[in-house]
Amino acid sequence: MKRIVDLRSDTVTQPTEEMREAMRNALVGDDYYRDDPTVTQLEALAAAKFGKEAGLFVTSGTMGNLVSILTHTQRGDAIILEADAHVYRSETAHLAVVAGVMPKRVKGNRGILDPADVEEAIFAEGVLYPRTSLLCVENTHNSAGGTCVTPVQMSAFRRVADIHGMAIHVDGARIFSAVVALGADPQELAKDADSLTFCLSKNLACPFGSLIVANREFIERARRNRQMVGGGMRQAGIMAAAGIVALRTMIDRLSEDHDNARALAEALSKLGFEIDMEMVQTNIVFFNVPSEMIDAKKFVQDLGKLGVRVNPPAGRRVRMVTHYGVKREDIDYTLQGIKEVIERAK
Ligand code: TLP
């Protein structure tokens, strides 16, 4: 059988055997009545991991971000986020359609905001201006190539936020990649955030779900907002069971994905692809396909024929994501395929 290497995203991961077993055996109940012991356990575990009081199980990263934003803001508020933040670019405009907030985009350096620029972006006080109630920080930053926000940078955001009465939400869809790459304590990384969302269904390889962690009062209000957007769940322990396994077994291994991404990036660079190696910090590799080498669309299509799956390029820009389902031999196979494809295009 032809090898398939799926580099489209870490969302393509299959659950581990241990997850499937835990899901099959999970104790469940109606979570509306707070009767699902497995959901309750996962929420407590997630909160403890980040040193927060409480957690809330939600269906997706998008829902986690939306519910958090709804809980922090009022309609008509402004929120500050990095210019290419996932919340802004890739969440179907829920900021506008559902939350009714105004995004104020600030360009970061490789996705990382400068606190001085954040401060400058805050609207003045007065009847003319929206209230700037929230700063959203993405860690790791997806479209900047999986770059990490450090605890020191978080503290600098906190100082600005405190001066201006702003809350901080972290879109930590891949926060555990930052934890592992920085060698940081998750509590240290989360301590300056008022709320944080992380995903189980990406690099941690679960089939479903994300969590919001924050203080108890925030989580109670977030629970109402989750209900409002249709995210109230029943016997969700079936899903939560996989999350409990993930938090125990899938974090330390992320360094393997990071090493694979690094190896892939270094080889791509040697082959003549344009790549900013400083952006390759975790499991995401972005690079440009030089047009004189091959047309980027053709490059992706030809790789697909060899079983190497990659999302369609944005112009000349291609993304490859490493994950639990990609072993070192798959990276070697991918590189072999890339060499073949560019050789044939000569
Ligand atoms: N990222 C996905 C999607 O863009 C399809 C991907 O393949 O990378 N925050 C960040 C930083 C994300 O990367 C994503 C998803 C989300 C939020 C949303 O999570 P989901 O897909 O669970 O709604």
Side-chain angles (χ1 to χ4, degrees), residues 8-12 59-65 85-87 90-91 138-143 171-174 197 199-202 208-210 284 311 319 321:
R8 289 174 299 173
S9 181
D10 46 12
T11 57
V12 303
T59 62
S60 64
T62 302
M63 184 183 279
N65 287 330
H86 195 277
V87 166
S90 309
E91 299 187 10
E138 188 169 315
N139 197 9
T140 62
H141 194 296
N142 181 348
S143 74
D171 172 0
R174 297 183 179 83
T197 301
C199 296
L200 296 168
S201 58
K202 300 200 167 57
F208 174 95
S210 293
I284 301 178
N311 279 330
R319 182 181 83 155
V321 184

Side-chain angles (χ1 to χ4, degrees), residues 324-343:
Y324 178 63
V326 175
K327 306 289 166 236
R328 187 53 74 102
E329 310 86 82
D330 297 315
I331 299 295
D332 296 340
Y333 179 82
T334 300
L335 287 166
Q336 200 46 48
I338 289 172
K339 281 181 203 155
E340 254 175 73
V341 165
I342 55 181
E343 197 53 41

